[in-house]
């Protein structure tokens, strides 16, 4: 049985606000290479299980029930979280998550749809961002012993993960000896919430499928879990079921959606420093950037060849270090690079940077989830009790004596992608038919049990807010409704992203539509990264992101709503 720990509120936690019941499964999921297998394993935890067989369970619950379920993968661990103000729903959601974590029974079809479709689409979306693409280009070419193992994987590397690789990984790491459940309840004591969670989890184990028991993850493994993965570069693109943070013999640079933006070979210098310096370094990162540029411009007399840019990659690597990167001008020769090194070290040496405890933070996650993890750190380890107090480490300047240099193909920083609305690269591979051709039909008939068991809580009031990535499209759709020229243009599409504004006369019937498996087939079949129903500025939208069939979704939405007409004997249909 997995170990469950109740984490009371820390003394410094905000007071006066109602805190929902919150649970976080912390699973030790090491990344030994760039394949992205830990990322894929996270995704597969939501592809149904013997206890909750519906593939669309997660999507219906997040759309219509008063709860939030999601997960995110880092270089050394994966967090699966749930929060809700309804106690019974919370306990059932804990059971749902645990059943997915311990499940190793997947169809080949589901595996390929998630790997070839959903995951590749997600990674391609991220790789279309220039800052992200530059960062991972550096990671793929970094030969230092300290180099990151990119847990998220790349759109090409994940395709090399086999079905057996996935099953072996889940059987090895998704068991009690590598997992801990942290819980917190607003109106209950620790014993009650632990007992309820234990009973719910025990029912899953009693079903007789893969659910190995073991001891909890050691305290130090939980509290020392990596703190973020490329989060600052990609936070604007976060969508439901989003996790991210690369096989090294694939050394090609990920493609940018604008083919006219060609990368150039640049030298990249890296200084590795302990994660405990992160707090102070991030506070002065913008100052460092401006001063480095100023220093280089003043000290390089012959040309601007020693120019470059500085950034902090604050993901924690396997050795507990973060990377300070300086990307040299593509024309920089050896002498110019040496001058740049001296300038960077000189500036960093002058800073007052102290080692302090680094508490967990990730702005993608709800504040209550972040606080739960931080409170556990502080209550379990004395080193975290005073988060801004200096720690005894070697002076910061000692770590600047060693620099590692590699080469990577970098896109010019600061250049806006002029073709940012272009479709994604055509590297999506269709799923392969498996022997049991009736399996999909069986899956489609499965019921979303959380929605069925808590039908009284289903409401469009629980719809999440439309992802920020799609706000511009939603505004266009709303403006068209107010236009006398084209008032019926509900559908808006840019590249592989789209929204469809749902008229109010269809709202009453949406719950039945959204709870059905057929509505979610574009997502479960791997045709898109994200599909959902959300609210924005008082309107309800059906949306898709990184969708290979985006241009056809206008008709798909109309046909979906036309079924409502037929089923409800309504005489109108969407234009």
């Amino acid at each position: 049985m997995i170990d469950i720990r109740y984490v009371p509120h820390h003394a410094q936690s905000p007071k006066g606000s109602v805190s929902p019941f919150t649970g976080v499964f912390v699973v030790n999921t090491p990344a030994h290479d760039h394949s992205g297998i830990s990322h894929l394993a996270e995704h597969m935890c939501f592809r149904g299980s013997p206890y909750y067989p519906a593939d669309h369970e997660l999507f219906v619950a997040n759309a219509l029930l008063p709860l939030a379920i999601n997960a995110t993968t880092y270089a050394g661990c994966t967090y699966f979280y749930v929060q809700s103000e309804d106690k019974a729903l919370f306990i059932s959601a804990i059971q749902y998550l645990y059943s997915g974590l311990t499940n190793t029974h997947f169809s080949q079809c589901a595996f390929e749809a998630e790997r070839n479709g959903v995951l590749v689409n997600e990674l391609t979306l991220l790789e279309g961002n220039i800052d992200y693409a530059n960062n991972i280009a550096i990671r793929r070419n970094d030969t230092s012993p300290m180099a990151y193992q990119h847990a998220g994987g790349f759109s090409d590397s994940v395709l090399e993960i086999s079905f057996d690789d996935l099953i072996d990984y889940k059987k090895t790491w998704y068991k009690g000896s590598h997992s801990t459940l942290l819980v917190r309840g607003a109106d209950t004591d620790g014993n009650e919430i632990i007992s309820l969670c234990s009973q719910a989890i025990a029912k899953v184990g009693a079903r007789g499928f893969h659910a190995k028991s073991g001891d909890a993850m050691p305290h130090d493994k939980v509290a020392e879990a990596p703190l973020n993965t490329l989060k600052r570069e990609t936070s604007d693109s976060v969508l439901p079921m989003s996790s991210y943070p690369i096989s090294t013999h694939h050394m090609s640079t990920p493609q940018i959606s604008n083919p006219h933006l060609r990368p150039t070979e640049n030298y990249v210098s890296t200084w590795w420093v302990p994660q405990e310096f992160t707090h102070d370094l991030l506070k002065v990162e913008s100052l460092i950037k401006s001063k480095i540029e100023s220093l280089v411009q003043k000290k390089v007399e012959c040309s601007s060849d020693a120019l470059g840019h500085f950034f902090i990659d604050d993901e924690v690597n396997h050795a507990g270090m973060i990377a300070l990167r300086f990307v040299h001008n593509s024309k920089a020769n050896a002498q110019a690079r040496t001058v740049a090194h001296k300038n960077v070290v000189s500036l960093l040496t002058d800073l007052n940077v102290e080692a302090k405890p680094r508490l967990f933070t990730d702005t993608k996650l709800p504040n209550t989830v972040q606080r739960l993890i931080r409170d556990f750190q502080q209550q379990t380890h004395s080193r975290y009790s005073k988060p801004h107090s200096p720690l005894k480490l070697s002076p910061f300047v000692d770590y600047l004596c060693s620099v590692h240099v590699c080469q990577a193909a970098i896109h010019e920083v600061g250049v806006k992608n002029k073709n940012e609305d272009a479709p994604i690269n055509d590297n999506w591979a269709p799923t392969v038919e498996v022997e049991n051709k009736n399996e999909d039909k069986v899956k489609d008939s499965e019921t979303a049990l959380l929605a069925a068991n808590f039908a009284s809580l289903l409401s469009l009031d629980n719809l999440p807010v439309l992802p920020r990535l799609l706000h511009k499209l939603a505004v266009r759709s709303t403006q068209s409704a107010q236009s006398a020229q084209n008032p019926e243009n509900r559908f808006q599409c840019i590249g592989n992203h789209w929204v469809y504004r749902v008229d109010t006369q269809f709202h009453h019937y949406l719950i039945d539509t959204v709870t059905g498996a057929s509505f979610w087939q574009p997502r479960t079949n791997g045709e898109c990264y994200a599909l959902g129903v959300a609210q924005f500025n008082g309107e309800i939208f059906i949306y898709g992101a990184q969708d290979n069939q985006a241009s056809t979704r206008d008709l798909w939405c109309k046909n979906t709503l036309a079924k409502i007409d037929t089923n409800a004997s309504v005489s109108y249909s969407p234009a």
Side-chain angles (χ1 to χ4, degrees):
M1 179 68 70
I2 187 174
D3 187 59
I4 305 172
R5 301 184 180 277
Y6 181 81
V7 183
H9 286 276
H10 189 266
Q12 296 178 353
S13 296
K15 297 180 180 180
S17 58
V18 177
S19 298
F21 294 95
T22 305
V24 179
F25 286 92
V26 185
V27 185
N28 181 21
T29 54
H32 300 301
D33 52 31
H34 295 320
S35 69
I37 191 169
S38 57
H39 189 179
L40 178 59
E42 172 220 310
H43 274 239
M44 295 305 294
C45 290
F46 298 102
R47 290 295 301 208
S49 68
Y51 210 86
Y52 288 87
D55 272 350
H56 63 296
E57 188 81 52
L58 172 72
F59 313 127
V60 177
N62 276 334
L64 298 175
L65 287 171
L67 89 170
I69 302 175
N70 215 325
T72 187
T73 296
Y74 304 91
C77 76
T78 301
Y79 292 116
F80 296 83
Y81 71 83
V82 56
Q83 61 176 11
S84 176
E85 294 184 8
D86 186 284
K87 185 189 301 183
L89 178 58
F90 171 75
I91 296 301
S92 292
I94 288 289
Q95 183 184 69
Y96 161 69
L97 275 178
Y98 183 75
S99 67
L101 266 60
T102 55
N103 180 42
T104 57
H105 298 278
F106 307 107
S107 69
Q108 184 76 20
C109 184
F111 163 74
E112 291 175 350
E114 198 68 29
R115 181 196 65 178
N116 299 5
V118 178
L119 191 56
V120 167
N121 279 326
E122 176 186 354
L123 294 171
T124 305
L125 174 63
L126 296 175
E127 292 165 8
N129 176 282
I130 291 180
D131 290 334
Y132 187 96
N134 284 344
N135 202 346
I136 60 176
I138 294 170
R139 290 185 176 199
R140 296 188 85 157
N141 290 276
D142 193 345
T143 57
S144 166
M146 291 290 178
Y148 291 109
Q149 302 301 319
H150 190 57
F154 298 127
S155 57
D156 57 350
S157 67
V158 295
L159 294 174
E160 298 181 5
I161 303 171
S162 71
F163 184 83
D164 289 340
D165 291 338
L166 169 71
I167 300 304
D168 289 345
Y169 190 89
K170 284 214 70 182
K171 285 183 176 180
T172 300
W173 298 107
Y174 279 79
K175 55 185 180 180
S177 57
H178 298 295
S179 304
T180 297
L181 171 59
L182 310 178
V183 293
R184 169 177 289 166
D187 62 351
T188 183
D189 60 30
N191 292 333
E192 179 188 7
I193 198 71
I194 288 176
S195 175
L196 291 172
C197 290
S198 297
Q199 293 174 38
I201 286 173
K203 291 179 181 178
V204 174
R207 288 292 292 265
F209 57 94
H210 174 71
K212 296 182 180 180
S213 60
D215 298 327
M217 185 193 301
H219 285 190
D220 60 331
K221 294 284 183 68
V222 177
E224 295 292 346
L227 303 180
N228 50 50
T229 302
L230 299 182
K231 64 179 178 62
R232 292 182 298 150
E233 288 80 5
T234 58
S235 59
D236 285 348
S237 296
V238 172
L239 292 162
M241 256 310 295
S242 173
S243 56
Y244 51 94
I246 253 173
S247 251
T248 52
H249 64 278
H250 283 292
M251 302 304 289
S252 61
T253 303
Q255 296 295 310
I256 300 299
S257 58
N258 185 351
H260 301 293
L261 294 178
R262 300 295 183 185
T264 56
E265 286 292 328
N266 296 67
Y267 284 92
V268 181
S269 299
T270 303
W271 294 264
W272 295 93
V273 301
Q275 62 172 309
E276 286 78 8
F277 292 110
T278 306
H279 179 269
D280 282 6
L281 284 170
L282 291 182
K283 286 176 62 176
V284 296
E285 182 178 14
S286 59
L287 176 65
I288 295 173
K289 290 179 178 180
S290 62
K291 286 196 171 183
I292 283 180
E293 183 175 347
S294 175
L295 276 173
V296 173
Q297 288 174 340
K298 290 179 180 178
K299 293 189 176 183
V300 178
E301 299 176 358
C302 55
S303 70
S304 61
D305 288 351
L307 286 173
H309 69 273
F310 174 89
F311 71 96
I312 300 173
D313 190 338
D314 61 342
E315 180 186 350
V316 182
N317 74 355
H318 59 280
M321 312 287 272
I322 65 171
L324 310 183
R325 310 273 202 193
F326 185 82
V327 181
H328 297 267
N329 185 296
S330 59
K331 298 179 180 179
N333 56 27
Q335 181 181 2
R337 294 196 298 272
T338 300
V339 172
H341 286 164
K342 292 179 180 179
N343 290 335
V344 173
V345 171
S346 174
L347 175 59
L348 293 175
T349 301
D350 291 340
L351 297 173
N352 182 24
V353 178
E354 295 183 332
K356 298 173 183 176
R358 178 173 178 174
L359 293 176
F360 177 84
T361 181
D362 188 336
T363 56
K364 300 191 308 297
L365 305 182
N367 289 332
T368 52
V369 173
Q370 295 185 64
R371 285 201 299 268
L372 174 57
I373 298 171
R374 285 197 296 266
D375 287 352
F376 180 78
Q377 286 181 320
Q378 291 184 264
Q379 294 167 23
T380 306
H381 295 269
S382 59
R383 65 179 296 193
Y384 290 108
S385 59
K386 297 180 179 179
H388 299 303
S389 300
L391 295 173
K392 292 183 179 179
L393 285 179
S394 298
F396 174 67
V397 295
D398 289 0
Y399 299 95
L400 304 178
C401 298
S402 177
V403 61
H404 180 268
V405 181
C406 69
Q407 279 185 286
I410 304 295
H411 289 81
E412 184 179 348
V413 174
V415 175
K416 183 176 177 60
N417 187 347
K418 297 179 182 178
N419 195 23
E420 62 183 3
D421 295 341
I424 59 173
N425 300 313
D426 188 19
N427 60 353
W428 178 81
T431 56
V432 179
E433 276 198 38
V434 292
E435 261 184 56
N436 183 5
K437 297 181 181 179
N438 293 320
E439 184 170 355
D440 284 343
K441 295 181 181 179
V442 174
K443 273 288 189 181
D444 288 347
S445 67
E446 298 289 359
T447 299
L449 295 180
L450 288 174
N453 295 339
F454 294 90
S456 62
L457 298 179
L458 296 173
S459 173
L460 296 182
D461 292 337
N462 297 321
L463 288 176
V465 176
L466 188 72
R468 186 185 305 175
L469 178 70
L470 305 173
H471 284 189
K472 180 168 66 173
L473 290 174
V475 169
R476 288 186 185 180
S477 178
T478 303
Q479 288 175 343
S480 71
Q482 301 166 351
S483 170
Q485 295 180 339
N486 196 9
E488 300 300 331
N489 192 11
R490 303 178 181 89
F491 181 78
Q492 293 290 329
C493 179
I494 295 180
N496 297 91
H497 310 318
W498 58 269
V499 299
Y500 187 98
R501 178 172 42 82
V502 181
D503 280 356
T504 55
Q505 62 261 40
F506 295 101
H507 291 184
H508 180 71
Y509 306 101
L510 269 181
I511 289 180
D512 287 341
T513 300
V514 172
T515 53
S518 60
F519 177 84
W520 300 99
Q521 278 186 337
R523 172 58 170 77
T524 56
N525 288 345
E527 296 169 13
C528 61
Y529 163 44
L531 176 74
V533 183
Q535 52 184 320
F536 179 72
N537 288 347
E539 301 277 1
I540 292 179
F541 292 87
I542 301 172
Y543 70 86
Q546 208 67 2
D547 187 347
N548 291 281
Q549 306 295 325
S551 62
T552 70
R553 296 306 179 197
D554 186 12
L555 180 59
W556 178 82
C557 288
K558 290 177 179 178
N559 289 339
T560 297
L561 296 179
K563 292 177 183 178
I564 294 178
D565 291 349
T566 302
N567 296 335
S569 297
V570 180
S571 59
Y572 46 75
S573 61

